């Protein structure tokens, strides 16, 4: 630090060109203040019969640079493992029951002489989509939500923010973004609203725009299902280990993307210095198990499920109509898929997958059911009432491991759902930020998928 | 400007600052009793409670600033607290600290010491600290900081009389605090030393030149910003020299503009 530097700041009145210097000076000032506070309190404060609380000892382990991050990753893996393993069996049972009822309903409609199209619209369209959403989503949510609420109650989430603060600071954004990001795991719309806790408008916009890069509950089931079918299916003996690792890997990749895109925004469009904040680590509290179950099941699981069903049923009906209304000799659905197919193929997906994501704009939960209906409407006779059948259906439609990976990545990175977009508009007060969020995320999604697809093709070409 | 709440703050003016949850409000309530009212910020939810109390026939006006951990002005609360101390220059600055975690609280004390000299540090919650086996030596603390220290347990009314005594003594000049400021190291101190005389010339009245120098060096303000501040202040001179209008016109961190 020499006088030349601050003279320059006086002349130009612009801190941009000295930002690296000023950050250092600010750090130095804060550091000196902390040093002095520490030295004074060492002299003036006496501890007698005082012992470090258990909280503090645990925090030393859970918030240290190395063990804190390791523990976080391990915890993430364990949660997904518990969810995947635990959800598998009840999912099968639910599917069996719900698709069993489908048979009853169909024969009932036939017996009262309902026309073919009523049967198709109500059963194949609405009921089947709904049954899918329930059987695929309910069990993982019923396990994942209580676990997540448990950590929340325990007071672990502020520690996560603490651990991630360093990375966000490096990205030129606010450490509180770690908290808003964590909220996004529940629901991105809620995550966007929670960005209010960030005071600086610049950093708040960054947090809002990048919140969608962590998977919400609407997308977790898709990720988990595809991971257990395709990644877990790579090695049957190790499937129980590979699938949770794959989902954790995706989450870590989502966080990584959040940081990279934040950094890009912070150094281009939304320039500025990161502001510091003080996060008080609350004491750990023993969670109330009863309260957790009530809150996570009623307020989260059933709420999300209800919303999903409410969207899935009509969407299923509409998709059935699209699949069965013919224009020329092709259905509307097939035409739309054919239109999107070149772009889909380019990024390692296909037209039906892209269309399912577009049709899933109201809620991400219905992407997979819509996709399946699209494939089934093509005339495939497989009825995916079990998971092996589902995998066969996908493979018979040209799915490879690349398709699975890229579908998961696209799900992770693509445009936010309609609710989240609307929330972004409300929170920023400008529609252009919502549009920008959709364009930004979709561009990232297409780019990442294209790179993965190209690498995959390169490897396949090199091997053959 | 219709959002001016008050033309000026009557003197003598005592301002109350401190970290959140240090019992700041308890002390404010204990001092003022029922003689207080709260003013809200236009559009925002930062409120300032204000009140009066008498001690030995002197009528003190007291303002409860928002609870903050620092004055680096990252949030609206910090901005409001800092600008109040900077521009309204209270006659006595009372900083409330929590005896159970004094170290963290001292950061704020040290930052306030950069802006004003007339500081009293109140070490509150000494009863809770004793329960936890933590003892704060007020004499040592006072010696180290260079400002008077009063220990209180405001919820039980302990130390409040001593606190009022100290406020009166600092106000009357019987006790002159001389804060021992943080030494920021040779390089930075040299830079401050070179800047301060020039700032004193440019801004002859009002804002603490050392604080200004620090903020210019750390990039929070440029000379233009400060001139703008002065202009705002001068415009409000006279009728509402101590008006609230500063708070809404003072730029925050440079990054926000």
């Amino acid at each position: 630090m020499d006088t030349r530097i601050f003279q320059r700041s006086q002349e130009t009145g612009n801190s941009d060109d000295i930002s690296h210097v000023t950050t250092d000076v600010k750090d130095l000032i804060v550091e000196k203040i902390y040093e002095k506070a520490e030295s004074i309190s060492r002299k003036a404060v006496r501890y007698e019969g005082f012992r470090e609380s258990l909280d503090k000892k645990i925090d030393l382990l859970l918030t240290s640079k190395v063990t804190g991050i390791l523990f976080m990753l391990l915890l993430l893996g364990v949660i997904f493992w518990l969810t995947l393993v635990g959800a598998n069996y009840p999912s099968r049972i639910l599917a069996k029951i719900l698709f069993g009822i489908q048979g009853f309903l169909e024969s009932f409609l036939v017996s009262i002489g309902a026309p073919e199209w009523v049967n198709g619209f109500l059963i194949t369209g609405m009921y089947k989509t709904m049954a899918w959403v329930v059987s695929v989503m309910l069990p993982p949510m019923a396990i994942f939500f209580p676990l997540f609420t448990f950590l929340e109650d325990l007071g672990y989430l502020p520690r996560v923010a603490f651990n991630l603060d360093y990375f966000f600071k490096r990205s030129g954004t606010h450490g509180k973004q770690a908290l808003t990001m964590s909220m996004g795991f529940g629901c991105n719309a809620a995550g966007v609203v929670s960005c209010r806790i960030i005071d600086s408008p610049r950093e708040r916009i960054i947090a809002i725009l990048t919140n969608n890069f962590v998977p919400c509950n609407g997308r977790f089931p898709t990720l988990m299902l595809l991971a257990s079918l395709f990644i877990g299916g790579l090695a049957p003996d190790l499937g129980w280990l590979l699938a949770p690792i794959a989902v954790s890997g995706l989450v870590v990749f989502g966080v990584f993307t959040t940081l990279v895109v934040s950094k890009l925004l912070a150094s281009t469009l939304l320039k500025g210095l990161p502001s510091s904040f003080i996060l008080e680590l609350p004491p750990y509290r023993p969670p109330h198990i009863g309260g957790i179950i009530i809150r996570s099941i009623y307020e989260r699981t059933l709420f999300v499920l209800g919303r999903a069903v409410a969207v899935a049923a009509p969407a299923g009906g509409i998709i059935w109509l699209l699949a069965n209304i013919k224009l020329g000799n092709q259905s509307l659905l097939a035409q739309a898929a054919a239109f999107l197919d070149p772009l889909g193929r380019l990024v390692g997906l296909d037209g039906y997958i892209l269309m399912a994501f577009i049709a899933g704009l109201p809620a991400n939960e219905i992407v997979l059911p819509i996709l399946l209906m699209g494939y089934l409407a093509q005339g495939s006779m497989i009825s995916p009432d079990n998971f092996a059948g589902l995998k066969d259906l996908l493979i018979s439609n040209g799915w490879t491991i690349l398709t699975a990976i890229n579908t998961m990545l696209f799900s992770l990175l693509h445009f936010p759902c309609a609710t989240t977009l609307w929330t972004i508009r409300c929170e920023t007060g400008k529609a252009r930020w919502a549009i920008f969020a959709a364009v930004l995320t979709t561009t990232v999604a297409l780019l990442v998928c294209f790179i993965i697809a190209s690498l995959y093709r390169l490897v396949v070409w090199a091997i053959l | 400007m219709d959002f001016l709440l008050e033309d000026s703050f009557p003197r003598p003016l005592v301002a109350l600052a401190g970290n959140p949850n240090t019992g700041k409000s308890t002390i404010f309530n204990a001092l003022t009793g029922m003689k207080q009212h709260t003013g809200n910020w236009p559009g925002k939810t930062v409120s300032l409670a204000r009140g009066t109390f008498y001690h030995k026939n002197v009528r003190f006006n007291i303002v409860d600033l928002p609870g903050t951990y620092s004055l680096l002005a990252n949030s609206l609360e910090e901005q409001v607290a800092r600008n109040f101390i900077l521009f309204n220059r209270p006659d006595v600055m009372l900083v409330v600290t929590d005896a159970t975690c004094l170290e963290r609280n001292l950061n704020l004390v040290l930052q306030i010491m950069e802006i004003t000299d007339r500081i009293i540090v109140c070490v509150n919650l000494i009863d809770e600290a004793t329960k936890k086996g933590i003892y704060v030596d007020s004499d040592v603390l006072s010696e180290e900081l260079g400002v008077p220290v009063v220990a209180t347990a405001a919820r039980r009314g302990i130390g409040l009389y001593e606190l009022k005594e100290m406020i009166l003594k600092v106000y009357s000049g019987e006790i002159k605090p001389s804060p021992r400021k943080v030494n920021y190291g040779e390089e930075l101190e040299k830079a401050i030393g070179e800047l301060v005389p020039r700032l004193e010339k440019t801004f002859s009245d009002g804002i603490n030149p050392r604080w200004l120098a620090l903020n210019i060096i750390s990039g929070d303000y440029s000379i233009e910003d400060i001139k703008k501040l002065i202009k705002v202040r001068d415009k409000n001179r006279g009728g509402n020299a101590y008006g609230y209008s500063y708070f809404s016109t003072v730029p925050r961190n440079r990054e926000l503009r």
Side-chain angles (χ1 to χ4, degrees):
Chain A
M1 178 70 219
D2 63 290
T3 40
R4 193 170 39 80
I5 291 163
F6 72 77
Q7 273 170 352
R8 189 146 60 94
S9 79
Q10 290 173 54
E11 285 155 21
T12 61
N14 181 352
S15 72
D16 285 347
D17 51 344
I18 53 158
S19 58
H20 62 290
V21 181
T22 57
T23 312
D24 292 349
V25 173
K26 217 168 180 179
D27 282 352
L28 178 76
I29 291 172
V30 172
E31 193 182 307
K32 289 286 178 190
I33 289 173
Y34 274 59
E35 261 174 34
K36 176 133 189 193
E38 197 198 337
S39 97
I40 293 175
S41 79
R42 231 193 345 256
K43 286 174 199 156
V45 183
R46 196 160 43 87
Y47 297 92
E48 255 171 43
F50 172 82
R51 58 191 173 80
E52 288 255 55
S53 63
L54 190 63
D55 273 22
K56 221 167 181 177
K57 281 182 199 155
I58 296 173
D59 272 339
L60 279 180
L61 208 64
L62 293 193
T63 58
S64 99
K65 271 207 176 112
V66 182
T67 53
I69 303 281
L70 276 178
F71 182 80
M72 235 163 58
L73 291 175
L74 192 72
L75 198 63
L76 201 64
V78 168
I79 287 178
F80 291 135
W81 178 75
L82 282 174
T83 309
L84 281 170
V85 171
N88 209 350
Y89 189 63
S91 265
R92 276 163 209 241
I93 295 181
L94 264 176
K96 212 168 203 161
I97 295 172
L98 289 171
F99 288 113
I101 296 175
Q102 186 187 340
F104 278 115
L105 288 174
E106 267 171 348
S107 43
F108 170 73
L109 282 177
V110 170
S111 74
I112 60 166
E116 180 80 15
W117 67 269
V118 171
N119 198 329
F121 181 78
L122 287 180
I123 306 300
T124 322
M126 292 179 77
Y127 180 82
K128 209 165 178 180
T129 312
M130 212 179 66
W132 252 105
V133 168
V134 173
S135 62
V136 170
M137 284 185 63
L138 181 60
M141 284 196 313
I143 298 171
F144 181 77
F145 277 161
L147 288 176
F148 196 79
T149 314
F150 178 81
L151 290 180
E152 211 178 346
D153 258 29
L154 199 63
Y156 181 68
L157 291 193
R159 272 87 186 167
V160 172
F162 185 86
N163 286 337
L164 292 176
D165 175 48
Y166 169 76
F167 298 101
F168 280 103
K169 201 180 167 195
R170 286 280 303 273
S171 300
T173 62
H174 203 287
K176 277 185 194 165
Q177 197 180 333
L179 278 177
T180 62
M181 192 186 71
S182 305
M183 285 296 291
F185 282 113
C187 168
N188 292 124
V192 167
V193 172
S194 74
C195 290
R196 288 177 186 175
I197 61 171
I198 300 173
D199 281 307
S200 140
R202 180 187 77 86
E203 292 164 332
R204 186 168 60 233
I205 296 271
I206 293 178
I208 287 175
L209 291 178
T210 56
N211 189 275
N212 199 53
F213 289 136
V214 291
C216 64
N217 291 294
R219 291 182 279 163
F220 263 121
T222 307
L223 300 180
M224 288 180 181
L225 189 69
L226 291 179
S228 59
L229 286 182
F230 281 88
I231 311 287
L234 283 179
D237 296 337
L238 290 172
W240 63 273
L241 194 62
L242 283 180
I245 289 178
V247 179
S248 309
L250 274 171
V251 169
V252 172
F253 183 74
V255 174
F256 174 76
T257 311
T258 304
L259 291 169
V260 171
V261 175
S262 297
K263 172 106 191 161
L264 275 176
L265 288 172
S267 52
T268 56
L269 204 61
L270 294 157
K271 242 181 200 162
L273 300 172
S275 50
S276 56
F277 79 114
I278 289 177
L279 179 72
E280 251 187 298
L281 295 181
Y284 290 104
R285 288 177 309 239
H288 302 283
I289 302 295
I292 286 176
I293 290 173
I294 289 172
R295 253 188 312 145
S296 57
I297 299 292
Y298 269 98
E299 286 171 20
R300 292 191 170 163
T301 310
L302 292 183
F303 173 77
V304 174
L305 191 75
R307 206 184 68 134
V309 168
V311 178
I318 291 167
I319 296 294
W320 184 87
L321 286 177
L322 289 179
N324 286 278
I325 295 173
K326 301 227 158 129
L327 202 71
N329 56 358
Q330 262 195 321
S331 70
L332 289 175
L333 192 74
Q335 280 180 349
F339 174 74
L340 291 167
D341 207 49
L343 177 64
R345 300 275 168 203
L346 184 70
V347 295
L349 305 169
D350 67 28
Y352 277 97
I353 301 174
L354 283 186
M355 204 198 49
F357 277 115
I358 293 170
L361 181 68
N364 281 295
E365 293 86 342
I366 59 171
V367 168
L368 211 54
I370 288 176
L371 178 64
L372 296 178
M373 198 181 311
Y375 284 150
L376 287 171
Q378 274 183 338
S380 167
M381 293 310 290
I382 305 165
S383 172
D385 50 5
N386 62 60
F387 291 99
L390 174 62
K391 193 179 175 184
D392 290 341
L393 172 69
L394 292 175
I395 287 175
S396 73
N397 276 284
W399 275 52
T400 61
I401 182 88
L402 171 70
T403 327
I405 290 173
N406 274 7
T407 304
M408 288 193 282
L409 283 172
F410 197 81
S411 170
L412 178 74
L413 305 173
H414 79 297
F415 50 83
C417 71
T419 312
T420 307
L421 285 173
W422 181 252
T423 312
I424 293 176
R425 199 213 84 98
C426 292
E427 289 297 309
T428 58
K430 290 192 182 83
R432 65 184 162 96
W433 283 122
I435 296 166
F436 182 70
V439 172
L440 176 78
T441 48
T442 310
T443 309
V444 171
L446 289 173
L447 208 64
V448 168
C449 286
F450 176 71
I451 291 169
I452 299 287
S454 305
L455 287 176
Y456 178 83
R457 281 165 192 153
L458 198 70
V459 170
V460 169
W461 175 79
I463 290 171
L464 294 178
Chain B
M1 284 195 236
D2 53 353
F3 55 79
L4 290 181
L5 295 181
E6 196 85 22
D7 280 356
S8 60
F9 285 95
R11 305 267 157 174
L13 178 62
V14 181
L16 204 56
N19 287 17
N21 305 319
T22 49
K24 199 161 61 72
S25 299
T26 318
I27 288 190
F28 178 78
N29 290 339
L31 287 176
T32 58
M34 293 303 288
K35 293 179 284 297
Q36 48 171 285
H37 60 276
T38 305
N40 249 326
W41 234 254
K44 296 278 184 172
T45 52
V46 178
S47 64
L48 285 189
R50 303 177 46 193
T52 54
F53 69 92
Y54 282 90
H55 188 64
K56 299 197 169 152
N57 287 327
V58 181
R59 184 177 189 269
F60 287 97
N61 299 280
I62 181 162
V63 173
D64 190 13
L65 301 177
T68 58
Y69 293 103
S70 84
L71 289 185
L72 300 172
N74 287 319
S75 66
L76 190 76
E77 283 82 5
E78 291 181 16
Q79 191 189 346
V80 166
R82 188 194 66 187
N83 288 346
F84 190 94
I85 304 170
L86 201 56
F87 290 104
N88 291 300
R89 281 180 286 154
D91 300 297
V92 180
M93 184 68 230
L94 189 58
V95 190
V96 183
T97 61
D98 178 351
T100 62
C101 48
L102 189 67
E103 184 181 331
R104 194 178 67 199
N105 286 242
L106 284 179
N107 293 323
L108 180 67
V109 176
L110 293 170
Q111 285 177 40
I112 293 178
M113 277 174 17
E114 288 291 356
I115 307 180
T116 175
D117 281 356
R118 281 174 279 186
I119 293 179
I120 299 171
V121 169
C122 164
V123 179
N124 194 26
L125 303 173
I126 48 167
D127 47 343
E128 277 188 34
T130 309
K131 252 188 257 166
K132 288 189 180 175
I134 302 171
Y135 301 89
V136 177
D137 188 327
S138 303
D139 294 338
V140 174
L141 187 61
S142 174
E143 175 70 22
E144 288 291 323
L145 289 170
V147 304
V149 172
V150 181
T152 60
R155 232 171 308 169
R156 301 181 186 186
I158 297 171
L160 288 172
Y161 181 81
E162 289 79 357
L163 195 60
K164 285 191 237 179
E165 274 293 299
M166 194 59 85
I167 291 171
L168 184 63
K169 280 178 183 165
V170 169
Y171 169 64
S172 67
E174 195 184 328
I175 289 179
K176 272 199 175 355
S178 53
R180 294 175 58 182
K181 305 205 166 172
V182 179
N183 187 324
Y184 294 108
E186 205 179 316
E187 271 182 310
L188 206 51
E189 288 295 340
K190 195 174 147 235
I192 295 169
E194 280 179 42
L195 200 46
V196 163
R198 294 166 58 183
L199 287 171
E200 272 172 340
K201 227 185 290 166
T202 319
F203 306 110
S204 51
D205 72 321
I207 304 164
N208 181 332
R210 184 182 157 89
W211 179 87
L212 253 182
L214 257 180
N215 275 270
I216 287 171
I217 293 168
S218 68
D220 270 1
Y221 286 114
S222 70
I223 292 286
E224 276 73 20
D225 293 331
I226 308 294
K227 282 188 175 153
K228 200 169 150 198
L229 295 181
I230 299 292
K231 223 163 120 190
V232 170
R233 198 182 64 166
D234 290 347
K235 208 170 86 186
N236 290 330
R237 263 285 147 81
N240 42 20
Y242 295 104
Y244 282 66
S245 57
Y246 298 126
F247 305 118
S248 42
T249 45
V250 169
R252 292 174 68 177
N253 284 358
R254 292 192 53 81
E255 58 154 302
L256 299 183
R257 294 187 306 141

